[in-house]
Structures are given as C-alpha cells and as structure tokens.
C-alpha cells in the first residue's frame, strides 16, 4: 500500500518525498528520465559566496536521503493520465497504474519555443537541451554556437557551456514578432535584465540595474549599447542584433542577423551572416502543468509565475482533495525554492494524512523557509515573482479558505 | 525576404506558420478549432512542441484576446502510449 505518489524526481519531488517518508508515509517517486534529479542534473554555477552549486551532487544527496528513508524511486516511468477513482488517485503510467490517497505533482517546467526560419535544421536545439547534453550526457553539442534569446536561463547555461569548454560565439535576440513577443524588443530585454540586476551576471548590467530604472535612461542605454556587445564572460551579448534566419543545407551553417533599433525594428541593409555549427534557442520557461489539468485542477494565468499555474495555497495544496503541487509547476523559480516548496508539500500531505506530533510546527517552519530561500535566491527568473505569488495566494484565500475552515471544523469536531 | 510563412510550427503534422495564421485570421477561432482545422498539435507528440506557439498565434490573430483567456485544456494521454498499454489498464 502506497500512501503518496510523487510525480517528478527533481528538487521539489525528492524533497517532498523525503518529508513524507520522514513523517511515516510510504512514498513512491516516479520520473520519466533514466535517473533522478530532474533539472538539478544540469546545474553547475558559482554562488555569490564563491562556493560552487553542483546540481549532480545535490541530486545524489537527495536521492540517497530519500532511499535511506525507504522511498521507492522509479525512473523511466511516464505518466499519461491522472484521475480520481473510488476516493483514490489513479496514476496511469507506461509501466501500469499506481494508486494512492495522495499525489504530489512536481513536474517542473518546459521551455517556450521561438520558431524562426531554419529552426528545424539539425544542430538547432533549445538552450535546455544544450544543458542536458553538456552536463548530463557529456556530449559536445558543437564547436561554434550562437544563442538566440537573452534571459537569465540563457546566461546560466551559457556559463555552463563555457565551463565545459564549448565555444559560444554570440548571444543575439530573436526577430521581433508575435511568436517572440518581448524577447525581440531590446528595451524590454534590458528592462527584464536590469530588474533582476542584483543577480545579473555582468558588472555592466549590475551597474545598469541601479542607473536605469527610468525609461528614458534605459532608451539611452540601449542607444549607446556597444555595437560589439557587452562581454558575458567572453561571449558578446548583442542586444541590438536579431536573428532573422538559421541557415544551412543539411545542418546548421550559420545565422543571418540584422541590426535592430531599441524597439526591435530591423534596420534595412544591415544583414550579415554569422557562422555557427549549433544554435540554441532560449525562450524561457513555463510551468509544466498538463497533469494538474487532466486531473481537473483549476488554473490561473499569471505572467509573473511564467504562465498558467494550478490554483494552490502556500502550503502547496490544490482545491482537489489529496492533490498537491510543488516546484516550477507553481511558478518559475530556482531549484532551491523548489526544494523548499517540496518539503512544505511533504509536511502538508503528512498533516492531511492525520500525522500528529510536531507536524504543525514543521509545516510552519517549511513555509517560512520557502520565503527565506526566495528572498536569498541567487537566480531570479522573474523580477516580480513576489507579486505573482501574492496573486495566487490571495486568490486561494478568496476562493477556498472559507471552505477549508469548515472542513477543519468538521474534522476536529 | 525571410520566409516566416513557411516555417514549420507543428513538426509532427508539418503545419506551417502561414497556414496557422491565415486559418486563425479567416475563422477568428479558438485554439481548439485551429487545431481541428489544421491538425497542428494533433500528431504523435500530442502538441508538446507547438502548443504554446499555436496559442500565441491565436492571441496575435484575434483582437482583444489574451493568454489568460485561452483555456488550458489538456486531454489524456499526455504522453504517447501504445494501445496495448492503455488497453491493459482497462482490463
């Protein structure tokens, strides 16, 4: 008899499973990938303190901790449906159906694509794919690369590619259009980078964060943005150049690039070709919420959290009884926040399962810890993350808290 | 000059940006109707690659519609599975 099924063995799922198992619940974790760790497996960066964050080590640590608590981690298992049957959740997978009273969905995020001419050529990949190939599979993705899209995720992975000795020639923007949105507008890109300035990966942008809060200054900054770009650890970031086409016969041979103005408009006659043998498209991340959707969970579109997120409370419960969420499915944040949310979800499940003792204290501490970790996060994917969180929790209060109180009263009485 | 219209959006069913945009503009339709008309998102991967883009095309083709109003409708199976797998579970 399984008490809890955790879907996703990333930082949120593993931390959630650990908290469940510590509380005495029999827990199974399933993951689509061949080994546990989720996106932790790709992460490697130097923290502001000078210490290194090695995602593979973190993942090994969490996996061992979970296994020591008798958590059953099953890899290579894909979930294709989730439904409630006879008071229990049925988790339908390619390896059969599992069932339990509690399910924690910790499926993380997926990448926004930015389609452009030539994007189906071999050698074009999402930035996340480049990360997985480099840090997980240890495959060299190419010799000379170009990244299309300037955002925090792209910079973090650029740094990892550089550490692996993979040469990235340039970062350019996608061409402005309905499919690229703000990612193709230099002013908007600079705004989002400078808003996240305390975390910006270059001193130029850090300086910019303080100086460029006003629109006028920002426009000037874009105007005077060096034509050859600002070097990001050796790779020029070209905010005034847009990729209009990826070219190549059988595979990527280069990118046709044009100069653009501060609003992303192409300057005629400025096109040139940069050679490359691989191209990474960096469109950013959105919460991967398909399973919560098929389970029937209501959603809210919150741009600050990356897109559609399932309704959930600060203790990670959804409106559906027994269904909990944690990690990037609730909004795009760092792996550390995901871990803290996972722990919260785990204790929250234990509480709902009727585990007594100090569970209330543990849960309260876990909620507080999420706030603290969020405050101290080294990577902030969205500058207005706190506004986004506030929106979803306020909505929860409004829609569900009253009902919840009634439920608790009945239970206590 | 650059051939944005012929860019493949749905790789499974080989539906282009031009086909999707003209269909969305002509019929002023929902994401669901756009998929049914063009088969975008209805191939082997179940829309995992093109879904977001299809939603964005709807957003750009229909005045006064925002992402918030495009419903997040998913249907099982959300991963490709064999008939055998599904059948086994039904018993």
């Amino acid at each position: 008899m399984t008490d809890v099924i955790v879907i996703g063995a990333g930082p949120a799922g593993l931390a959630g499973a650990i908290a469940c198992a510590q509380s005495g619940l029999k827990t199974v974790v399933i993951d689509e990938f061949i080994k546990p760790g989720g996106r932790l497996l790709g992460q490697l960066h130097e923290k502001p303190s000078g210490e290194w964050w090695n995602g593979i080590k973190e993942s090994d640590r969490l996996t061992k901790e979970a296994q020591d608590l008798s958590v059953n981690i099953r890899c290579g298992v894909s979930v294709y449906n989730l439904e409630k049957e006879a008071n229990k959740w049925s988790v339908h997978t390619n390896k059969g159906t599992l069932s339990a009273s509690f399910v924690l969905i910790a499926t993380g995020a997926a990448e926004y694509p930015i389609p452009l001419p030539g994007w189906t050529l071999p050698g074009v990949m999402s930035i996340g794919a480049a990360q997985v190939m480099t840090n997980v599979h240890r495959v060299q993705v190419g010799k000379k690369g170009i990244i299309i899209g300037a955002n925090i995720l792209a910079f973090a992975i650029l740094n990892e590619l550089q550490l692996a000795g993979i040469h990235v020639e340039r970062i350019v923007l996608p061409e402005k259009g309905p499919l690229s949105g703000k990612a193709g507008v230099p002013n908007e890109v600079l705004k989002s980078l400078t808003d996240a300035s305390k975390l910006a990966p270059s001193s130029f942008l850090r300086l910019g964060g303080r100086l460029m809060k006003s629109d006028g200054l920002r426009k000037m900054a874009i105007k005077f943005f060096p034509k050859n770009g600002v070097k990001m650890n050796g790779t020029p970031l070209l905010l005034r150049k847009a990729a209009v086409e990826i070219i190549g016969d059988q595979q990527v041979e280069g990118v046709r690039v044009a100069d653009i103005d501060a609003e992303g408009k192409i300057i005629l006659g400025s096109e040139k070709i940069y050679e490359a043998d691989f191209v990474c498209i960096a469109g950013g991340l959105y919460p991967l919420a398909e399973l919560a959707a098929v389970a029937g969970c209501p959603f809210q579109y919150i741009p600050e959290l990356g897109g559609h997120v399932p309704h959930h409370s600060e203790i990670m419960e959804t409106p559906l009884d027994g269904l909990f969420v944690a990690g990037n499915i609730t909004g795009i944040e760092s792996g550390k926040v995901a871990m803290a949310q996972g722990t919260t979800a785990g204790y929250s499940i234990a509480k709902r399962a009727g585990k007594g003792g100090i569970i209330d204290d543990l849960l309260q501490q876990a909620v507080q810890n999420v706030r603290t970790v969020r405050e101290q996060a080294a990577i902030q994917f969205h500058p207005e993350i706190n506004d986004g969180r506030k929106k979803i929790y306020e909505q929860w209060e409004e829609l569900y808290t009253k009902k919840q109180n009634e439920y608790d009263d009945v239970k206590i009485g | 000059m650059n051939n944005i219209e012929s860019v493949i959006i749905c790789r499974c069913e080989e539906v282009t940006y031009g086909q999707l945009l003209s269909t969305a503009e002509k019929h002023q339709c929902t994401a669901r109707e756009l998929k049914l008309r063009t088969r975008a998102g209805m191939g082997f991967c179940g829309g995992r690659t093109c879904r977001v883009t299809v939603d964005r095309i709807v957003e750009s083709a229909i005045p006064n519609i925002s992402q918030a109003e495009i419903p997040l409708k998913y249907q099982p199976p959300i991963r490709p599975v064999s008939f055998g797998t599904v059948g086994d579970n039904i018993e």
Side-chain angles (χ1 to χ4, degrees):
Chain A
M1 266 288 283
T2 302
D3 297 311
V4 188
I5 300 164
V6 179
I7 305 169
L14 288 175
I18 290 167
C20 287
Q22 278 170 343
S23 309
L25 296 170
K26 199 159 182 306
T27 308
V28 175
V29 182
I30 50 184
D31 195 286
E32 215 162 34
F33 196 57
I34 47 175
K35 54 182 180 177
R39 295 322 294 257
L40 277 177
L41 297 172
Q43 292 177 6
L44 181 65
H45 61 256
E46 199 176 354
K47 294 190 274 191
S49 63
E51 286 170 277
W52 283 82
W53 172 261
N54 180 340
I56 291 178
K57 275 192 185 159
E58 285 300 317
S59 138
D60 288 347
R61 182 181 65 77
L62 287 169
T63 303
K64 188 176 179 306
E65 198 179 341
Q67 283 168 340
D68 287 348
L69 289 160
S70 301
V71 171
N72 179 11
I73 302 176
R74 296 179 57 190
C75 293
V77 180
S78 287
V79 178
Y80 65 85
N81 194 9
L82 172 63
E83 60 183 343
K84 195 110 187 211
E85 286 174 318
N87 285 323
K88 281 200 166 187
W89 287 102
S90 291
V91 180
H92 301 288
T93 81
N94 61 341
K95 302 276 166 68
T97 298
L98 309 172
S99 83
S101 299
F102 299 98
V103 167
L104 170 57
I105 310 180
T107 44
E111 294 186 74
Y112 278 111
I114 304 178
L116 72 155
W119 81 313
T120 50
L121 281 168
V124 182
M125 64 199 80
S126 74
I127 191 83
Q131 182 189 43
V132 171
M133 278 195 262
T134 305
N135 287 349
V136 182
H137 299 297
R138 310 292 167 104
V139 172
Q140 187 180 16
V141 290
K143 291 193 164 63
K144 194 174 182 182
I146 291 176
I147 295 176
I148 301 175
N151 52 52
I152 299 293
L153 181 72
F155 298 158
I157 297 175
L158 166 68
N159 190 30
E160 291 168 6
L161 293 173
Q162 288 167 333
L163 285 168
I166 292 169
H167 182 67
V168 180
E169 285 262 300
R170 305 178 163 84
I171 306 171
V172 299
L173 299 190
E175 184 182 355
K176 181 185 175 182
L179 302 183
S180 60
K182 288 179 177 177
V185 183
N187 265 333
E188 296 287 346
V189 173
L190 194 64
K191 178 175 186 301
S192 79
L193 293 181
T194 52
D195 283 350
S197 66
K198 70 168 175 169
L199 327 143
S202 96
S203 54
F204 171 85
L205 292 171
R206 243 191 319 268
L207 182 70
R210 286 199 297 273
L211 293 179
M212 293 188 290
K213 286 296 175 197
S214 90
D215 242 27
L217 280 173
R218 201 178 299 125
K219 278 200 181 112
M220 258 174 61
I222 273 290
K223 200 169 164 192
F224 294 114
F225 194 83
K227 220 173 156 47
N228 297 326
V230 172
K231 290 251 167 113
M232 309 276 297
N233 211 6
T235 299
L237 165 64
L238 304 167
L239 288 182
R240 292 287 300 274
K241 290 191 192 296
V244 294
E245 182 179 13
I246 301 167
I247 55 167
D249 183 17
Q250 296 294 314
Q251 60 186 51
V252 172
E253 290 168 24
V255 178
R256 200 146 53 83
V257 167
D259 291 347
I260 48 175
D261 69 13
E263 293 305 323
K265 198 166 160 269
I266 284 180
I267 295 159
L268 287 176
S270 65
E271 288 192 5
K272 67 171 97 168
I273 287 167
Y274 290 141
E275 274 182 34
D277 68 352
F278 75 97
V279 170
C280 301
I281 297 178
L285 297 167
Y286 67 91
L288 190 60
E290 321 143 284
L291 277 174
V294 295
C297 191
F299 280 78
Q300 181 71 24
Y301 181 75
I302 301 185
E304 295 91 339
L305 298 180
H308 284 94
V309 293
H311 287 182
H312 65 276
S313 69
E314 203 170 1
I315 59 165
M316 301 292 141
E317 61 199 323
T318 71
L320 305 182
D321 194 28
L323 189 69
F324 294 73
V325 287
N328 272 198
I329 186 177
T330 72
I332 305 306
E333 290 192 80
S334 77
K336 281 186 174 175
V337 174
M339 251 184 246
Q341 287 181 317
T343 304
T344 304
Y347 290 137
S348 198
I349 291 170
K351 185 181 174 187
R352 181 54 67 88
K355 298 288 168 188
I358 53 167
I359 197 72
D360 283 315
D361 293 339
L362 288 172
L363 182 54
Q364 213 174 346
Q365 279 166 24
V367 168
Q368 190 50 53
N369 189 44
V370 174
R371 294 181 190 149
T372 310
V373 174
R374 182 171 292 136
E375 280 302 305
Q376 294 167 351
I379 293 179
Q380 192 96 292
F381 287 91
H382 201 292
E384 277 114 46
I385 189 81
N386 281 321
D387 295 344
R389 291 286 171 207
K390 214 172 139 208
K391 276 186 205 169
I392 195 91
Y393 299 146
E394 279 176 1
Q395 183 192 47
W396 179 271
E397 290 290 313
E398 210 168 286
L399 292 175
Y400 308 108
T401 299
K402 194 166 165 276
K403 212 170 117 198
Q404 193 67 44
N405 289 341
E406 283 165 13
Y407 174 88
D408 285 347
D409 288 346
V410 172
K411 203 173 149 194
I412 293 161
Chain B
M1 178 162 60
N2 59 51
N3 212 350
I4 186 84
E5 299 252 303
S6 63
V7 173
I8 296 280
I9 300 297
C10 171
R11 297 176 187 218
C12 303
E13 296 289 321
E14 300 191 348
V15 186
T16 65
Y17 179 65
Q19 287 171 302
L20 284 162
L21 189 64
S22 62
T23 308
E25 282 173 346
K26 183 174 169 199
H27 298 282
Q28 293 290 300
C29 55
T30 60
R32 177 175 158 75
E33 187 180 333
L34 185 55
K35 286 174 201 166
L36 291 170
R37 285 185 181 279
T38 62
R39 284 207 55 80
M42 296 177 77
F44 180 78
C45 88
R48 281 203 277 165
T49 314
C50 67
R51 180 192 178 99
V52 173
T53 308
V54 171
D55 285 350
R56 281 190 174 168
I57 291 168
V58 170
E59 195 184 4
S60 75
I62 298 175
N64 306 320
I65 191 170
S66 72
Q67 277 292 325
E69 293 158 87
I70 298 173
L72 193 79
K73 176 80 180 121
Y74 282 98
Q75 286 180 133
I78 59 158
R79 290 289 179 275
V81 281
S82 66
F83 281 116
T85 306
V86 183
D88 280 350
N89 290 325
I90 292 165
E91 285 171 19

